[in-house]
Amino acid sequence: MAHDAALVARLLDEARSLVLGEIRRAIADRRRTGYAPLYDQLEVYPFREGKGLRPAILLSACRSVGGWTEQAIVSATAVELFHNAFLVHDDIEDGSELRRGLVTLPEQFGVPSAVNVGDATNVLAIAMLLDNLEVLGVRKALLTIREIERMARESVEGQAIELEWIRLRHYDLSDDDYARMAHKKTCWYTVIAPLRLGVIAGSVPGVGAPTDTELEPLIGVGFLAGIAFQIQDDLLNLVGDPGVYGKEAAGDLWEGKRTVMLNHFIRGASAPVRDRALAVLNTERRDKDAAEVSWLHAAMHEAGSIEHGRRLANEYCERALEAYAQMNVFTVDGTDRRFLQEMLTYVIDRIK
Amino acid sequence: MAHDAALVARLLDEARSLVLGEIRRAIADRRRTGYAPLYDQLEVYPFREGKGLRPAILLSACRSVGGWTEQAIVSATAVELFHNAFLVHDDIEDGSELRRGLVTLPEQFGVPSAVNVGDATNVLAIAMLLDNLEVLGVRKALLTIREIERMARESVEGQAIELEWIRLRHYDLSDDDYARMAHKKTCWYTVIAPLRLGVIAGSVPGVGAPTDTELEPLIGVGFLAGIAFQIQDDLLNLVGDPGVYGKEAAGDLWEGKRTVMLNHFIRGASAPVRDRALAVLNTERRDKDAAEVSWLHAAMHEAGSIEHGRRLANEYCERALEAYAQMNVFTVDGTDRRFLQEMLTYVIDRIK
């Protein structure tokens, strides 16, 4: 499948620079009134070039229900900050080495500071949500906080599922097991919440603000697109160009992450191959043998596991497009509505 | 100094069991609707016997301005959850081994899960704050969230100061440097915010809800009592009974924590003694020599550093009592007001 790359790139760019401006302002303010060195560490991830996907979805969703950019900027900035907080803690949890092409925060400043920087990023995002009172009024600002609570709850539960798989050495996971985990870990904070928060921000104010029933269909589309996004993320880790993608090549195998591709490989492996793979995966990262990781990587290719991941991502993408076509939430025709549709394909076309 | 131990113990007990009941209910609810194993890990710290100091201060402050217990339960529970989230991440940041007499969460489940459990505990606390809307109404519920944001911001900034001292090997710190750090790290979330949140919850509702000016004097008292509390905490680490106190003996020296006592010792040490001490402190915990830690511990006693800490804690305690005597925020005479006053001495009398 192909998407309108120019359109998507333009809206991602716009959203990113808008939100980075807000983050820059907020951090400058904190640096003046608080302990400045903390904010030097806090700004590291946000100002490494991210995709800007979450704020872009949020802003376009807002404008596609008739809202203005101004109504959504604070929410978009908060979501981007929550995302960055998530990345900092995720890099500790996974023991990752690279993020957006440079060493991870725990590598740069140590795990103790990184834990605290992640917490500080969450606090800054919560401060933003309080600023929303002036922008959106009480009802929508509270709806927004509720939505963020749900998003954060789903994310920590998804993380817990994935961490328990690794900690307790669970294998034999189906594609549906994976989808259930990623629904919580990725879909909520990457697609579902940005869509819903955009609609909350942009919809008619007062008693016309959206209800649970109106926001409901966004969960389905966001789920399907989010799974496609996460499988593509895991594919890029295995086959992408690390220089473009920004994480270490095959880092997921070093971390023992249960991706759709790995699960497919383990399910289909003969007993001796399975044993050899599990020996690699169960070894602590620092004790792993690079040659064995390369073997596993090659064996997954040969077993058609990469192909299986591509096929599954495509399926989810097509289902997302179908579900999107049946929605009637986004009433304003134009660039933003086109972006939201193109984004559903972009998630599996992207190379970073 | 001495405090009314029976009164303090009774109000701590009452607050603790009230709040634990709420936490139990909230966790049972999450376990039903979410990923249960996460909540098995989340409940570990709250159900180890804590002091219950923060909820007790909050509840007594509420009742001492004429409020009811019912108005403050949700805030008290949220504060206790934020405290537990803080402890989980603090134990990762400090590399601690024991908490409340048992192994720390990162030791029990690994650092990755502990990072996530801390995050999940914060999310649960935020959910509580939204429940406050039904209990306190919009204005007070929003004031409460603002207060929590401030509390959390001060805490992460205080943590950052302490972590940077260790990471960048800063020594030569004065008692005032320490007080500035602990003001942020400890005082806000241990005393200042509980006092202020109690007043917010219990004061006359509607437009009579407290303003910044009315809440201001609580910062001074909370600061003084909080510093006394933190110095006593560090003293217990050096001289307390580990069986009662619940953390490993002299763990702070293993962690290289810059306590008032350590700073005093370093400031007064001759060049060779200072070099020997810094060599111990700058060595990674796992590479430290137990005999050298014991030497440092003994040398601090001999140098009068423990005595210096005791004297300073006493001074802060006396100043807290003076500041408290000049406040007129707590208008309802009775057990709760007595508790708030006795608590100011309890913080340096306590043995756990």
Side-chain angles (χ1 to χ4, degrees):
Chain A
M1 289 188 268
H3 69 282
D4 184 339
L7 172 77
V8 169
R10 183 162 65 80
L11 269 81
L12 289 176
D13 269 353
E14 281 175 18
R16 195 167 49 224
S17 61
L18 207 59
V19 158
L20 284 183
E22 292 297 310
I23 295 179
R24 189 172 288 116
R25 225 188 322 274
I27 287 180
D29 185 53
R30 288 293 183 281
R31 213 182 247 121
R32 255 194 318 276
T33 57
Y35 178 63
L38 172 60
Y39 299 99
D40 296 341
Q41 297 176 347
L42 193 154
E43 74 177 4
V44 170
Y45 273 12
F47 289 100
R48 288 184 188 174
E49 191 87 332
K51 287 180 282 293
L53 176 62
R54 293 158 190 86
I57 292 174
L58 200 154
L59 290 165
S60 282
C62 169
R63 292 181 299 233
S64 295
V65 295
W68 300 345
T69 303
E70 288 69 16
Q71 291 174 282
I73 292 178
V74 174
S75 292
T77 308
V79 162
E80 187 64 9
L81 284 169
F82 282 118
H83 170 50
N84 278 282
F86 180 88
L87 293 182
V88 175
H89 284 180
D90 190 61
D91 284 342
I92 301 167
E93 290 164 16
D94 295 346
S96 305
E97 292 173 355
L98 294 179
R99 171 69 67 185
R100 296 175 181 163
L102 297 164
V103 293
T104 59
L105 215 69
E107 292 280 329
Q108 193 174 347
F109 297 112
V111 167
S113 294
V115 170
N116 194 52
V117 169
D119 288 340
T121 311
N122 277 323
V123 175
L124 185 58
I126 286 171
M128 290 267 156
L129 295 179
L130 290 167
D131 290 348
N132 242 341
L133 282 162
E134 288 164 40
V135 183
L136 296 180
V138 171
R139 174 147 191 261
K140 282 185 173 191
L142 286 172
L143 270 178
T144 299
I145 297 178
R146 264 190 210 292
E147 193 64 28
I148 293 285
E149 186 275 329
R150 173 80 189 266
M151 173 193 91
R153 172 157 40 100
E154 297 289 353
S155 299
V156 293
E157 291 192 359
Q159 281 284 22
I161 295 172
E162 189 172 44
L163 290 169
E164 289 293 274
W165 284 348
I166 293 181
R167 193 174 73 86
L168 303 173
R169 302 190 169 181
H170 282 188
Y171 293 95
D172 303 301
L173 299 161
S174 68
D175 291 340
D176 284 348
D177 291 329
Y178 178 88
R180 267 192 294 272
M181 179 279 292
H183 183 190
K184 285 180 176 285
K185 192 190 78 162
T186 305
C187 301
W188 266 94
Y189 95 99
T190 303
V191 193
I192 300 174
L195 284 171
R196 289 164 60 100
L197 289 166
V199 172
I200 290 170
S203 61
V204 178
V207 289
T211 62
D212 275 2
T213 324
E214 292 170 85
L215 293 168
E216 185 74 26
L218 299 168
I219 298 180
V221 172
F223 163 65
L224 296 166
I227 300 289
F229 175 91
Q230 184 61 54
I231 296 175
Q232 176 67 6
D233 217 58
D234 298 340
L235 279 167
L236 287 173
N237 193 284
L238 289 169
V239 301
D241 177 347
V244 178
Y245 171 56
K247 296 184 197 167
E248 64 270 33
D252 287 352
L253 298 183
W254 288 89
E255 295 166 13
K257 255 177 93 174
R258 309 299 193 263
T259 62
V260 156
M261 288 67 79
L262 184 73
N263 294 339
H264 172 271
F265 178 73
I266 299 287
R267 286 198 304 270
S270 67
V273 167
R274 180 193 156 93
D275 288 349
R276 186 173 171 188
L278 263 53
V280 180
L281 296 163
N282 288 336
T283 304
E284 288 278 323
R285 184 181 185 128
R286 60 175 172 277
D287 301 325
K288 272 195 170 69
D289 179 346
E292 284 298 288
V293 175
S294 296
W295 163 77
L296 177 58
H297 199 172
M300 286 170 66
H301 270 277
E302 276 168 42
S305 300
I306 310 296
E307 210 28 66
H308 174 73
R310 286 216 177 92
R311 207 164 41 235
L312 198 63
N314 257 295
E315 269 175 41
Y316 272 101
C317 172
E318 280 169 17
R319 287 171 60 196
L321 287 165
E322 282 165 31
Y324 182 80
Q326 279 163 25
M327 271 194 340
N328 50 12
V329 179
F330 300 119
T331 48
V332 180
D333 197 13
T335 310
D336 288 298
R337 205 163 76 174
R338 269 197 7 255
F339 169 79
L340 291 174
Q341 178 163 346
E342 293 300 305
M343 173 275 293
L344 301 174
T345 310
Y346 156 82
V347 294
I348 63 163
D349 273 354
R350 70 200 173 89
I351 55 169
K352 70 169 247 187
Chain B
M1 289 188 269
H3 68 281
D4 183 341
L7 173 76
V8 170
R10 183 162 63 80
L11 267 82
L12 290 176
D13 268 353
E14 281 176 18
R16 195 167 49 227
S17 63
L18 207 58
V19 158
L20 285 182
E22 292 298 310
I23 295 179
R24 187 172 288 117
R25 226 190 320 276
I27 287 180
D29 184 53
R30 288 294 183 283
R31 212 181 247 123
R32 256 195 316 278
T33 56
Y35 178 63
L38 171 61
Y39 299 99
D40 296 341
Q41 297 177 347
L42 192 155
E43 74 176 4
V44 170
Y45 273 13
F47 289 100
R48 288 185 188 174
E49 191 87 331
K51 287 181 280 295
L53 176 62
R54 294 157 189 87
I57 293 175
L58 201 155
L59 290 166
S60 282
C62 168
R63 291 181 300 233
S64 295
V65 295
W68 300 344
T69 302
E70 288 68 18
Q71 291 174 284
I73 292 179
V74 174
S75 292
T77 307
V79 162
E80 187 64 10
L81 283 169
F82 282 118
H83 170 50
N84 277 283
F86 180 88
L87 293 182
V88 175
H89 284 181
D90 191 60
D91 284 341
I92 300 167
E93 290 164 16
D94 295 345
S96 305
E97 292 173 354
L98 293 180
R99 171 67 68 185
R100 295 175 180 163
L102 297 164
V103 294
T104 59
L105 214 70
E107 292 280 328
Q108 193 174 347
F109 298 113
V111 167
S113 293
V115 171
N116 194 52
V117 169
D119 289 340
T121 310
N122 277 323
V123 175
L124 185 58
I126 286 170
M128 289 268 156
L129 295 179
L130 290 168
D131 290 347
N132 242 342
L133 283 162
E134 288 164 41
V135 183
L136 295 180
V138 170
R139 177 150 188 259
K140 284 185 171 191
L142 286 172
L143 271 178
T144 299
I145 297 177
R146 264 190 212 291
E147 193 64 28
I148 293 286
E149 186 275 329
R150 173 81 189 266
M151 173 193 91
R153 172 156 42 100
E154 297 289 352
S155 299
V156 292
E157 291 192 0
Q159 281 284 21
I161 295 172
E162 188 171 44
L163 291 169
E164 289 293 273
W165 284 346
I166 293 181
R167 192 174 73 86
L168 303 174
R169 303 189 169 182
H170 282 189
Y171 293 94
D172 304 301
L173 298 161
S174 68
D175 290 340
D176 283 349
D177 291 331
Y178 178 88
R180 268 192 293 273
M181 179 280 290
H183 184 190
K184 285 180 176 284
K185 192 190 80 163
T186 306
C187 301
W188 266 94
Y189 94 99
T190 302
V191 193
I192 301 173
L195 283 172
R196 289 164 60 99
L197 289 166
V199 172
I200 290 170
S203 60
V204 178
V207 288
T211 63
D212 274 2
T213 325
E214 293 170 84
L215 294 168
E216 185 73 27
L218 299 169
I219 298 180
V221 172
F223 162 66
L224 296 165
I227 300 290
F229 175 91
Q230 184 61 55
I231 296 176
Q232 177 67 8
D233 216 58
D234 298 340
L235 279 167
L236 287 172
N237 194 283
L238 288 169
V239 301
D241 177 346
V244 178
Y245 172 56
K247 297 183 196 167
E248 63 269 32
D252 287 351
L253 298 182
W254 288 90
E255 295 166 14
K257 254 177 95 174
R258 309 299 193 263
T259 61
V260 156
M261 288 68 76
L262 184 72
N263 295 339
H264 174 271
F265 178 73
I266 299 287
R267 286 198 304 270
S270 67
V273 168
R274 181 193 155 93
D275 288 349
R276 185 173 172 188
L278 264 53
V280 180
L281 295 163
N282 289 335
T283 304
E284 288 278 324
R285 184 181 185 127
R286 62 175 170 278
D287 300 326
K288 272 195 172 66
D289 180 345
E292 283 298 287
V293 175
S294 295
W295 162 79
L296 177 58
H297 199 172
M300 286 170 66
H301 270 278
E302 277 168 42
S305 300
I306 310 297
E307 210 29 64
H308 174 73
R310 285 216 178 93
R311 208 164 40 234
L312 198 64
N314 257 294
E315 270 175 42
Y316 272 101
C317 171
E318 279 168 18
R319 289 171 60 196
L321 286 166
E322 282 164 31
Y324 182 79
Q326 279 164 25
M327 271 194 342
N328 49 13
V329 179
F330 299 119
T331 50
V332 180
D333 196 15
T335 310
D336 289 298
R337 205 163 75 174
R338 272 199 2 258
F339 169 79
L340 291 175
Q341 179 164 343
E342 293 299 304
M343 174 274 292
L344 301 174
T345 310
Y346 157 81
V347 293
I348 63 163
D349 274 354
R350 68 200 175 90
I351 55 168
K352 69 168 244 184

